[in-house]
Amino acid sequence: MAGTVTVPGASKPSTPLLKDELDIVIPTIRNLDFLEMWRPFFQPYHLIIVQDGDPSKTIKVPEGFDYELYNRNDINRILGPKASCISFKDSACRCFGYMVSKKKYIYTIDDDCFVAKDPSGKDINALEQHIKNLLSPSTPFFFNTLYDPYREGADFVRGYPFSLREGAHTAVSHGLWLNIPDYDAPTQLVKPKERNERYVDAVMTIPKGTLFPMCGMNLAFDRDLIGPAMYFGLMGDGQPIGRYDDMWAGWCVKVICDHLSLGVKTGLPYIWHSKASNPFVNLKKEYKGIFWQEDIIPFFQNVTIPKDCDTVQKCYIYLSGQVKEKLGTIDPYFVKLADAMVTWIEAWDELNPTTAAAENGKAK
């Protein structure tokens, strides 16, 4: 029987889960007033704020939060020439926070995401649900028709192989959004008034071999398991594409998780996405990506990572070479992106030498 996974601290709601093992990463260009509504859930945790845009602007953070804030000057100072791999004037800059964190887990959220309510009217503690998702196994190798078998009130259904019921380590927890859905610009233009009001009480593992469009606005992951692959690419200022940062990371992460037998979950928790971005501005950012993804998706569907790539770093470096070789013919941007992927790993290993040494010495 799968039963219910016992989460440390779950019997004491007043004790925050993983308080000293998780950082919250927030990219922003504005004052973080939105944190007031998240105070009951976020205040016990350490925040890493990545300020985008003008570094001379002062970002105000509500009192009582434990945080560190990095702007572009800080990124340039810390990374030197390797700062070129961190996007500017785009929320993709958040991945710098992943790199400088020293915690095992990361939760990242956008500053226009508010606390949602469940169907009973209770505030949803999104962070707590993400932690529960990450601390319980995934089932990437065989689909369970009752979704997450480790949740209370569920189990493995008849016909599920007993040899697979231990599951796999969960690397990623991908949360969803009420109110403003995460649509591309053409869909926004066709359905300007559409709102997501459907609360689906489910968590499921994305099967091995299946890609998905990862959204970075409500996302948690195990930094030790998959952190080096959570690179949000080159987007924004000086780049021909935007709004594909999280999806690029998601495609890379998913094929690496599949290769390393790690799990990716999607579903709960929900946040309330408060603000729709301008669809015309979005279209300018996305239009090349809309064409390019028809080649990008088959690339990721067909790429095969060699067996001797037994660490995330090795997998990612291999992917970068394939990106340059297979996608570089589409546009010179992909050659530049492939080089940035290598730079990202070099910078990651420089800032995380202990992790890098462990990865390099790891045997599969």
Side-chain angles (χ1 to χ4, degrees), residues 139-144 159-161 164:
T139 54
F141 311 117
F142 201 90
F143 189 78
N144 191 55
Y160 199 100
L164 296 177

Side-chain angles (χ1 to χ4, degrees), residues 223-243:
R223 188 174 173 277
D224 288 354
L225 287 180
I226 201 63
M230 274 290 178
Y231 175 48
F232 276 43
L234 288 176
M235 304 283 155
D237 194 48
Q239 307 304 334
I241 185 175
R243 284 173 55 84

Side-chain angles (χ1 to χ4, degrees), residues 156-168:
F156 293 100
V157 297
R158 180 171 56 90
Y160 199 100
F162 282 88
S163 59
L164 296 177
R165 294 191 182 195
E166 287 188 2

Side-chain angles (χ1 to χ4, degrees), residues 26 32-38 109-114:
I26 305 169
L32 295 179
D33 301 329
F34 92 114
L35 284 173
E36 284 295 351
M37 72 177 63
W38 286 103
I109 185 172
D110 285 4
D111 59 17
D112 63 349
C113 293
F114 300 163

Side-chain angles (χ1 to χ4, degrees), residues 202-253:
V203 178
M204 64 184 73
T205 299
I206 301 172
K208 182 178 181 179
T210 300
L211 297 174
F212 75 112
M214 189 174 82
C215 172
M217 75 172 85
N218 176 27
L219 177 73
F221 60 92
D222 186 322
R223 188 174 173 277
D224 288 354
L225 287 180
I226 201 63
M230 274 290 178
Y231 175 48
F232 276 43
L234 288 176
M235 304 283 155
D237 194 48
Q239 307 304 334
I241 185 175
R243 284 173 55 84
Y244 273 82
D245 52 330
D246 43 9
M247 289 184 286
W248 179 263
W251 296 327
C252 293
V253 161

